[in-house]
Structure formats: C-alpha cells, structure tokens
Amino acid sequence: MKRQHFYIVLILFVSITVTVAIGTDSFNLTNETGAKTASTSSSATVEIGGPFTLVDHNGKTVTDADFEGRYKLIFFGYTSCPDVCPTALGGVSEMLDIIGKKSEQIVPLFISVDTKRDTVDVLQEYVTNFHPQIVGLTGSVEQITAVTKAYRSYFTINDDGDSNGDYYSVSHSSYLYLMGPDGKFITAYGHNRPPEDMAKSISEVLS
Amino acid sequence: MKENTMKKLVSLIAVIAATTMFLITDVYAAMNQYKAGDIIIENPWARATMSSAQTAAAFLTIKNNGSTPDRIVALQSPISQKTEIHQSFMEGDMMRMRPVGVLELAPGEVTMLKPGSYHVMFMGLKFPLAIGETFPLRVKFEKSGEVEVIVKIMKAGARGGMNMDNMNHAN
Ligand SMILES: [Cu+2]
C-alpha cells in the first residue's frame, strides 16, 4: 500500500515537472523578442528640416508654419508598409499614451512617400487606426520629394509588385525626427525604439 | 496479490499518462502552439489592416526540435492570393523588403518572424483584417509535413513581444 502511494506521488511529480518544463520552455521562446535599435547619432553640423507645403489627412493644404510652436515627430513611410511603418506608428502611439497630457505639445507627422496609393481618404483611415494625435500628410510628387530632401530622407518605389502594380513595396528611411517648436532638429530615433524609452527621452525635452 | 498490485499500478500509470498527455495538449493550446513533427510554431499574430489594404504581414516563432535541418517550402492562406516569407532589412539608410524563397530551420534553433526581420507576407488581400478576429495559415515544411495555425489579429500598432494583451485595445 505504501509503495503504491509512493508511485502515485512520483508519477504526479513527473507529470507536473514535464508540464512546467514545457511551459517554461515556451516562455523563454516568446521572451526573446525585440532587438533594440539605438537612436541615430546625427551629426549636429548637418541641417535637417525646412519649410514644406503638403496636404493633411483631412484634405487641407498645410505648411510647416501651421505646426509652429509645437514639437514635431516626423516619420516618412507608406500605408501599405506591412512591417516597419506599423511598428513605428504603434511605438509613437504608445509613447504618446505613456507621456499623457503633456504629449499635446507634440504633433506626430506621418508623411507618405507613396503618392500614388496614399490618397487623403486612405491616409485618414490609416492614421486614425493608430492614434488621434497623429497627422497624416501627402502631396504631389514634387512636394514629397522636396520635403524628403529637406529631412535628408530617402525613398525608392520598387518595381516588385504584381502585374496590376497594386502591391509594390517602397523602400524608405525609417527615422523619427524630433523637431523643436522653432522647427529646429533636436534628435532622431530608430523606428523600433521601445516606446518607454522614447517617452523618457522626449519627456526630458518637453517643457 | 502481488500480480493484482502490478495490474493496479499499470492502470494507474495509464491514467496518469493520459492525464499528462491531456495536460500537455492543453498547455500547447493555451500557449498558442502548433506542432508538425519536430517543429513547433508558436504565437502566430498579425496586425489589423485598413479596408483598402492589399497586403498584410504575420509574425510567429518556429522552433526546430529535431536533429536535422528543415525548411519552410510553402505557405497558404485563404485571406490572400499570394503568401510568402519576406524579410525587412536595412540597406544603407533605407528599410527594404525582399522575398525569402525558402526559410531554413536549423536543428535546435529558434527562428523568430518578428517586426523588423522576417514576416509572412500576404499579397492580394481578399478582405481587410479586423482586430480580434483570426484566420488560418497553412505552413508546409520540407520534411515535417504541414500544419495549420490560427493567426490572431491584433491592433494596427501592435508591436509583438510578451504583452499580447495589447490585442484588446483598439486605439
Ligand atoms: Cu513584406
């Protein structure tokens, strides 16, 4: 009888251990996410930024002067981007929520470099899916080329889509530029900078 | 008498083995894991898309517990016309994307399809992906057969990682 008890305990112990081991294993598996990317160390001598004229996600023509007096967090991308842009805008959204009320001093500007597909309507649906504070901007090819040049940002429309040309990809610089209320460049962040980190860094700059 | 005890013991072991198997299966399900031979796929997720979206991406973790290399040779999902593995990578100052024909799975290695790296790319999306819903994805391996996984659709700005509770906040 005693022996039987011993076996019950032993077998239960073994099965619990097996179960726990599997649980722990998968925990480690999912825990290894997210390679951290350090922010860019932009050289202070290069001028980044400048005047622009674009169209916002409500269809209104806007210039840099419309955002004067506020901090701007500028990101270039395209709404069909499956990976980098959602990561960046998801991070910006979380950052705004972490900072809270004070984040009203910041206007995140998402400038689309995909003028063909990113119409005002598309941009509106896109940015509002992320955060109400984010402003989507588009414009003519000339306007977009001018603003990307001013920010030393690059993009290439790739010829890798289907025969209808519906789902080509766009290569683009992926930095988030933090600009001061005076329009001067402050710093830049990598697109996958953890939101907590970015919130801490930006909070130190905000008044 | 002794034989009787042995019989009891054997049936006891059978019951406990069955319970353990049930527990293991249960743990797999709870952990959102899927198995094909020695390959384990874990935690497949995607981001919600816009109504006009032509593309979407999904992310998951693959572990090859076997002693031989394997590879993903094909993917298929009813949500899109074309399903491939793509890789985001930095080239100079730009983020680019390229198709990866076959994804190698080295023995004992964990391969993470995650933002900024590899992802399952859906092209020619048949309908938009709505937050909170799921869709099936079939993954075909060279040696380990194939498995259908269920992909969870998270918010548009989901960044993956441990905090999968993210999926419940819309904005
Ligand atoms: Cu892709």
Side-chain angles (χ1 to χ4, degrees):
Chain A
M1 251 341 194
K2 257 189 179 167
R3 214 187 169 90
Q4 205 170 347
H5 274 146
F6 170 75
Y7 281 121
I8 294 173
V9 171
L10 178 75
I11 292 164
L12 271 176
F13 177 74
V14 168
S15 44
I16 288 165
T17 311
V18 167
T19 313
V20 168
I22 289 165
T24 315
D25 190 33
S26 52
F27 177 83
N28 287 337
L29 235 118
T30 43
N31 207 10
E32 276 173 35
T33 49
K36 285 182 189 172
T37 297
S39 72
T40 44
S41 49
S42 304
S43 62
T45 48
V46 185
E47 279 287 315
I48 292 174
F52 60 77
T53 303
L54 296 163
V55 180
D56 75 8
H57 67 254
N58 293 312
K60 192 179 143 228
T61 297
V62 292
T63 70
D64 51 298
D66 288 295
F67 304 102
E68 236 176 63
R70 282 185 286 174
Y71 290 90
K72 290 152 288 274
L73 190 60
I74 300 180
F75 182 71
F76 296 90
Y78 66 114
T79 69
S80 314
C81 178
D83 181 1
V84 171
C85 298
T87 302
L89 293 182
V92 168
S93 308
E94 278 181 46
M95 176 276 291
L96 294 171
D97 290 342
I98 293 168
I99 294 180
K101 182 97 180 117
K102 254 186 156 183
S103 78
E104 284 167 13
Q105 296 175 50
I106 315 162
V107 204
L109 300 177
F110 175 75
I111 304 178
S112 169
V113 294
D114 187 5
T115 50
K116 187 181 156 200
R117 287 179 299 191
D118 291 346
T119 60
V120 166
D121 288 346
V122 167
L123 259 184
Q124 183 170 55
E125 191 192 343
Y126 189 71
V127 294
T128 50
N129 272 346
F130 289 96
H131 200 282
Q133 241 162 291
I134 301 175
V135 175
L137 296 172
T138 181
S140 66
V141 176
E142 293 75 28
Q143 288 171 330
I144 296 300
T145 307
V147 70
T148 51
K149 264 195 187 149
Y151 282 85
R152 316 216 165 240
S153 182
Y154 307 94
F155 71 98
T156 310
I157 311 280
N158 298 308
D159 185 20
D160 59 358
D162 64 335
S163 50
N164 307 322
D166 277 342
Y167 42 85
Y168 56 86
S169 73
V170 180
S171 304
H172 59 91
S173 306
S174 58
Y175 298 122
L176 294 145
Y177 304 87
L178 181 64
M179 310 297 289
D182 54 359
K184 290 238 163 67
F185 173 80
I186 299 172
T187 189
Y189 304 99
H191 78 274
N192 55 358
R193 181 76 169 255
E196 304 76 21
D197 222 31
M198 203 175 8
K200 194 167 169 270
S201 165
I202 293 179
S203 292
E204 283 165 10
V205 172
L206 296 180
S207 44
Chain B
M1 202 54 181
K2 220 177 182 183
E3 203 178 315
N4 202 9
T5 313
M6 271 309 279
K7 265 185 188 164
K8 270 188 187 165
L9 193 61
V10 167
S11 53
L12 189 69
I13 289 169
V15 166
I16 287 171
T19 314
T20 308
M21 277 313 289
F22 175 78
L23 275 173
I24 289 170
T25 317
D26 212 44
V27 166
Y28 271 110
M31 284 310 209
N32 208 5
Q33 286 181 336
Y34 304 87
K35 245 182 138 224
D38 287 328
I39 309 276
I40 293 173
I41 293 185
E42 199 176 57
N43 198 18
W45 66 280
R47 289 168 173 142
T49 69
M50 285 193 294
S51 54
S52 61
Q54 289 288 322
T55 58
F59 307 94
L60 43 87
T61 301
I62 311 160
K63 193 173 183 183
N64 182 359
N65 281 332
S67 52
T68 52
D70 203 344
R71 40 192 359 203
I72 292 178
V73 288
L75 295 128
Q76 203 199 339
S77 176
I79 70 160
S80 60
Q81 279 156 10
K82 237 164 80 178
T83 309
E84 298 174 348
I85 291 193
H86 281 202
Q87 184 187 22
S88 301
F89 66 103
M90 202 66 172
E91 190 179 76
D93 243 354
M94 285 197 283
M95 276 310 283
R96 297 202 55 179
M97 213 165 60
R98 68 179 153 219
V100 177
V102 285
L103 187 65
E104 304 289 342
L105 306 168
E109 292 257 302
V110 175
T111 307
M112 305 215 34
L113 278 69
K114 63 181 181 185
S117 175
Y118 294 111
H119 58 268
V120 179
M121 179 84 179
F122 304 97
M123 285 162 292
L125 211 57
K126 290 175 186 164
F127 44 83
L129 304 186
I131 186 166
E133 291 183 0
T134 61
F135 64 87
L137 167 68
R138 282 201 86 77
V139 187
K140 200 175 167 190
F141 302 95
E142 192 179 64
K143 291 171 193 151
S144 305
E146 51 182 290
V147 64
E148 185 174 280
V149 306
I150 301 299
V151 184
K152 288 184 182 171
I153 305 170
M154 325 280 268
K155 65 177 180 180
R159 292 164 57 86
M162 277 301 282
N163 190 10
M164 282 300 160
D165 298 334
N166 277 346
M167 67 182 298
N168 295 320
H169 314 291
N171 277 309

